[in-house]
Amino acid sequence: MTGPRLGFFTRLLEDAPAVDRYRFALEQIEQAERSGFASAWVAQHHFGEHEGGLPSPFVLLAAAAERTSRIALATGVVTLPIDDPLRVAEDAVVLDQLSGGRVQLGLATGGTPSSFTAFGRESDRRREIFAEHFEVLLDALGGRGIRGTASQIYPAAGDLGERIWQATFSADGGRRAGERGDGLLLSRTQPRPADAPGAPLHELQLPIIDAYRAALPDGAPVRVLASRTALVVDPENRTRALELADAGLRDLARSMFGLDTDGLLIDELVRITDTHVGTVDEVVASLAADETLHAATDVSFQVHSIAATHELTLRSLQLLADEVAPRLGFATGPDAAEALRRAHRPLAGAHAGSATPSGENA
């Protein structure tokens, strides 16, 4: 049985000026396509270079569209409560036209309060705003009048409205995404409950997938993407990779899990943060233990929170596709890209379009 389609994800966090970060991202997406990845996902972050270096994902993906021909170009995610949903729809549709129908549209509520304030939004209303904006987005993509007017977007969106994915940390969010027949985006790691601080990530995420599947309308396809952190290196670069991982994983363990990381060794940090780093054999072994991947249709790999160089990232993409993917049964190549391109199509007639969205940040 074929495993999940192989994907690439970047938050553009290299220690470099913005112009180089954008060049790196484009070169990485090109490498991902050459290596047979089915999808390339980019994150949207505003204000500052430390959380993510890309406020305008559609602009960068338009540049990627000119350099590629097959790989899906995806947002992971657009912060919909901050953005004007009509502009999101217009930008996504233009990108879809430029790329030949390769857009996958990931959405979430976002989470950084300071970003909301700067955009004149209230962070504590982000889910309510998301729901309001989501309805406008769906009207725009569906060719309906916008905000009670007769205005319709140009060009027409075709079936782009069926290629939406929602991000969530919760089973309830999974259920809401499933009710609409959208794809489900799962995070690379997430906080553990107080009564199970050492639980493996799949124990938190499999119930989300179960709730999502149970809520899908009859005939709606399952689309579940699991994001994971992985840096695969040749044996001679293993020590360097662990050194590059230490500071970022230590910070992640403090910020997400509230841990005192003084005295923790790198192996423990890798385990706590659900990171896959090392040689091909090591990464294959750690990924094989991740039961979420058996239930996912897609998996996207990012190097963050590891401070990997551009060169190590490019090599990791090669190793993931050429050596890790075959051993784990991940789907790669033109057939995988085409399968993702068509993955939403059984939704015809099955979409419960008025259900409440989830859109929690992954």
Side-chain angles (χ1 to χ4, degrees):
M1 180 178 178
T2 301
R5 292 174 288 256
L6 183 63
F8 166 63
F9 179 83
T10 180
R11 286 173 59 193
L12 290 82
L13 283 170
E14 289 86 359
D15 184 14
V19 64
D20 291 322
R21 288 186 179 192
Y22 300 151
R23 175 174 60 84
F24 293 161
L26 293 171
E27 291 175 359
Q28 290 161 13
I29 292 170
E30 287 182 280
Q31 179 62 62
E33 177 165 281
R34 284 194 299 269
S35 293
F37 282 65
S39 60
W41 300 74
V42 296
Q44 179 188 48
H45 289 88
H46 298 280
F47 310 120
E49 69 274 21
H50 300 300
E51 286 295 318
L54 184 64
S56 302
F58 296 114
V59 176
L60 185 122
L61 290 176
E66 290 298 296
R67 295 173 176 232
T68 59
S69 62
R70 184 178 65 246
I71 195 168
L73 303 174
T75 58
V77 290
V78 172
T79 310
L80 195 61
I82 287 178
D83 281 354
D84 183 287
L86 174 56
R87 293 295 297 121
V88 171
E90 290 179 326
D91 287 347
V93 168
V94 171
L95 174 62
D96 205 43
Q97 293 287 322
L98 291 173
S99 66
R102 289 187 279 146
V103 171
Q104 300 288 329
L105 187 56
L107 307 172
T109 61
T112 306
S114 60
S115 296
F116 282 76
T117 302
F119 278 92
R121 314 281 193 206
E122 298 176 42
S123 177
D124 58 2
R125 292 187 60 242
R126 61 187 182 276
R127 289 179 176 80
E128 177 185 348
I129 299 170
F130 181 97
E132 295 168 357
H133 284 194
F134 194 66
E135 291 304 315
V136 175
L137 177 74
L138 293 178
D139 283 342
L141 295 178
R144 296 181 288 276
I146 310 300
R147 294 185 171 109
T149 73
S151 299
Q152 299 176 355
I153 63 169
Y154 176 86
D159 63 1
L160 179 56
E162 306 294 339
R163 286 177 264 146
I164 291 172
W165 302 66
Q166 295 190 45
T168 186
F169 280 137
S170 70
D172 194 49
R175 175 188 58 77
R176 291 193 296 268
E179 286 175 345
R180 239 199 58 82
D182 290 335
L184 175 67
L185 295 176
L186 297 174
S187 129
R188 63 188 175 126
T189 190
Q190 61 188 81
R192 289 347 188 235
D195 60 348
L201 183 58
H202 60 250
E203 287 191 6
L204 279 68
Q205 294 190 332
L206 288 175
I208 302 175
I209 296 174
D210 289 343
Y212 166 77
R213 285 175 173 269
L216 283 171
D218 290 343
V222 175
R223 291 179 294 148
V224 177
L225 181 140
S227 180
R228 293 296 183 262
T229 295
L231 177 64
V232 191
V233 294
D234 298 299
E236 62 269 23
N237 285 322
R238 182 181 184 276
T239 298
R240 185 184 182 204
L242 293 174
E243 290 171 348
L244 290 170
D246 187 275
L249 299 190
R250 205 169 290 279
D251 182 67
L252 182 61
R254 285 192 296 261
S255 61
M256 177 166 283
F257 299 95
L259 297 178
D260 180 358
T261 62
D262 291 345
L264 288 182
L265 300 178
I266 185 62
D267 289 347
E268 185 68 4
L269 291 170
V270 165
R271 184 191 65 79
I272 290 168
T273 60
D274 306 297
T275 298
H276 306 274
V277 57
T279 64
V280 168
D281 286 345
E282 289 173 317
V283 171
V284 166
S286 61
L287 287 171
D290 186 344
E291 296 181 18
T292 297
L293 302 186
H294 302 303
T297 61
D298 297 83
V299 57
S300 66
F301 289 105
Q302 59 181 293
V303 297
H304 317 296
S305 297
I306 302 170
T309 65
H310 177 48
E311 291 72 24
L312 284 178
T313 300
L314 292 175
R315 180 57 177 156
S316 183
L317 291 170
Q318 294 174 323
L319 292 170
L320 279 166
D322 295 345
E323 301 194 36
V324 174
R327 290 174 58 177
L328 293 173
F330 295 163
T332 61
D335 288 347
E338 182 61 21
L340 177 56
R341 186 184 182 113
R342 302 173 63 87
H344 62 285
R345 293 193 178 179
L347 277 171
H351 212 263
S354 62
T356 302
S358 109
E360 299 165 39
N361 223 5

